[in-house]
Amino acid sequence: MNAESVGTRATVLIPARNEAASIVRCLEQVLAQDLPLEELEVVVVDGSSTDGTADLARSVLEGSGVGGWTVVTNPGGATPSNLNAGLRHVTSEVVCRVDARSLIPTGYVRRCVEILSSRPEVAVVGGAQVAVARSSSANDLGIARALNNRLAMGLARYRRGAASGPSDTVYLGAFRTAELRAVGGWDLRLATNQDFDLNRRMTATGMVWFEEGIDVGYLPRESIARLFSQYRRFGRWKAAYWALSGERPRPRQIVLLALPAGAAIGAAVGLRRRPGVTAAFGLAALAGVELAAGTTPRRVGPGAHLVAVLAIVAVGGGWWSGAVEGLVAERFRRPGRLGDG
């Protein structure tokens, strides 16, 4: 840890585990904020990385000019554990949660601080998530395009972008440190979906506010297979959250679950004796969704469009299979326990 943080206005809290490919770019964006760097504190929590993530973070932060910084080691920590470990080191009145794969815009921290400072009725503020292609390859462009598709991603406000206003959740989120500590921080039982859960609990303090214009870049998984695994995990932990909270899927989540399966099932009803045509019809329906609701990046070649269609299938199929698997697991699990990651 460097010199003690004195007088900082906001802390950027970053959990990281084996993020050597992303952490430098993430921190460079943090250091490019348009408020004086001496007013900024940075806390990186390393959950037992084996790829040198912590050393890379230190090399970027040393001599950076920020008002304070520390790289915390949290052996074996999952994301909520890393976040809570870092929260204990925060000295500012406002904390902005940032992921190692995220790229915050220049005015992000300042705008979050302004809203939380001037609007006591707001407990959480955040913006939209925009997938950023890692390269100009058809694979990377297609995956980014799929993750920016408002229909394929279930119409979540933070996914599709919208006018400023109250929301059920936002990407990442900024909080008043005292209020965040008062609700107990992130739930250690939820290895995934802990942000949505926290936002729900924070509504006891105030509203969750989506702010237009503070779009945060996100570096996606690098392959269709990894994307499927990621969303399968999301689905399992969403089921665990439903079991924990007693909530049920929201309409927009049902859209995400139904999209890839619905096209194939709808085709099968009318074309049940022609499986090849059924598959082609289902893919054509998904291609229509991809073309109709595709956003950034707009101009891509046919290869990227094909990858985007496959990525939509991976997202919805992974989420669907994980949610069903999780619901079955929770049905037979002893009370008080949650599913494995």
Side-chain angles (χ1 to χ4, degrees):
M1 182 174 180
N2 77 326
E4 208 175 295
S5 306
V6 179
T8 53
R9 296 179 64 194
T11 298
V12 173
L13 172 57
I14 307 172
R17 185 174 184 179
N18 290 329
E19 293 290 357
S22 305
I23 190 65
V24 172
R25 193 171 173 186
C26 169
L27 288 171
E28 287 174 347
Q29 290 296 117
V30 171
L31 297 177
Q33 294 302 291
D34 63 3
L35 78 170
L37 281 179
E38 60 268 21
E39 297 180 2
L40 187 66
E41 177 182 56
V42 181
V43 176
V44 177
V45 186
D46 179 61
S48 297
S49 295
T50 58
D51 64 354
T53 295
D55 290 337
L56 285 171
R58 292 187 187 97
S59 69
V60 174
L61 293 171
E62 286 175 351
S64 63
V66 293
W69 66 269
T70 184
V71 176
V72 180
T73 299
N74 186 39
T79 299
S81 174
N82 289 339
L83 287 165
N84 286 342
L87 182 59
R88 292 192 288 271
H89 291 264
V90 171
T91 66
S92 309
E93 293 184 1
V94 171
V95 55
C96 300
R97 182 255 167 94
V98 171
D99 280 345
R101 288 175 175 259
S102 59
L103 306 169
I104 59 175
T106 301
Y108 183 83
V109 174
R110 173 183 52 78
R111 190 68 188 123
C112 289
V113 169
E114 289 172 350
I115 292 170
L116 291 173
S117 298
S118 62
R119 300 188 57 185
E121 76 278 13
V122 173
V124 185
V125 61
Q129 181 190 63
V130 179
V132 177
R134 290 178 175 270
S135 75
S136 59
S137 71
N139 179 77
D140 290 350
L141 290 171
I143 289 175
R145 184 175 170 87
L147 294 183
N148 289 327
N149 187 303
R150 59 186 181 276
L151 291 179
M153 299 311 298
L155 297 174
R157 189 177 193 131
Y158 77 90
R159 291 281 196 179
R160 60 187 168 89
S164 298
S167 180
D168 58 350
T169 191
V170 291
Y171 182 49
L172 302 176
F175 317 82
R176 297 180 188 88
T177 305
E179 293 176 352
L180 181 55
R181 286 173 172 157
V183 302
W186 289 266
D187 193 327
L188 297 178
R189 295 172 295 177
L190 293 169
T192 297
N193 205 52
Q194 68 275 354
D195 287 330
F196 182 84
D197 166 74
L198 175 60
N199 286 333
R200 295 291 288 165
R201 288 186 286 116
M202 289 295 292
T203 57
T205 302
M207 75 172 70
V208 178
W209 184 261
F210 174 86
E211 179 68 7
E212 182 182 10
I214 53 172
D215 297 353
V216 178
Y218 167 74
L219 298 171
R221 296 299 190 270
E222 298 87 347
S223 69
I224 298 295
R226 293 188 66 186
L227 199 64
F228 179 87
S229 296
Q230 178 188 19
Y231 277 86
R232 182 185 178 197
R233 188 168 184 264
F234 285 171
R236 279 183 58 85
W237 282 99
K238 180 61 76 173
Y241 172 74
W242 292 331
L244 175 67
S245 66
E247 291 190 15
R248 292 295 178 264
R250 294 169 178 264
R252 64 176 175 79
Q253 293 166 340
I254 294 174
V255 170
L256 178 61
L257 287 171
L259 185 61
I265 292 172
V269 170
L271 302 168
R272 57 184 178 274
R273 298 195 180 190
R274 304 180 68 183
V277 176
T278 297
F281 188 86
L283 284 174
L286 289 175
V289 169
E290 196 278 326
L291 291 171
T295 54
T296 307
R298 289 185 180 276
R299 299 192 176 193
V300 297
H305 284 294
L306 176 59
V307 171
V309 170
L310 296 176
I312 290 172
V313 173
V315 167
W319 212 97
W320 186 86
S321 63
V324 171
E325 183 182 351
L327 288 170
V328 171
E330 293 303 328
R331 174 67 178 81
F332 295 101
R333 197 174 301 280
R334 295 197 304 272
R337 293 185 61 193
L338 293 176
D340 300 330

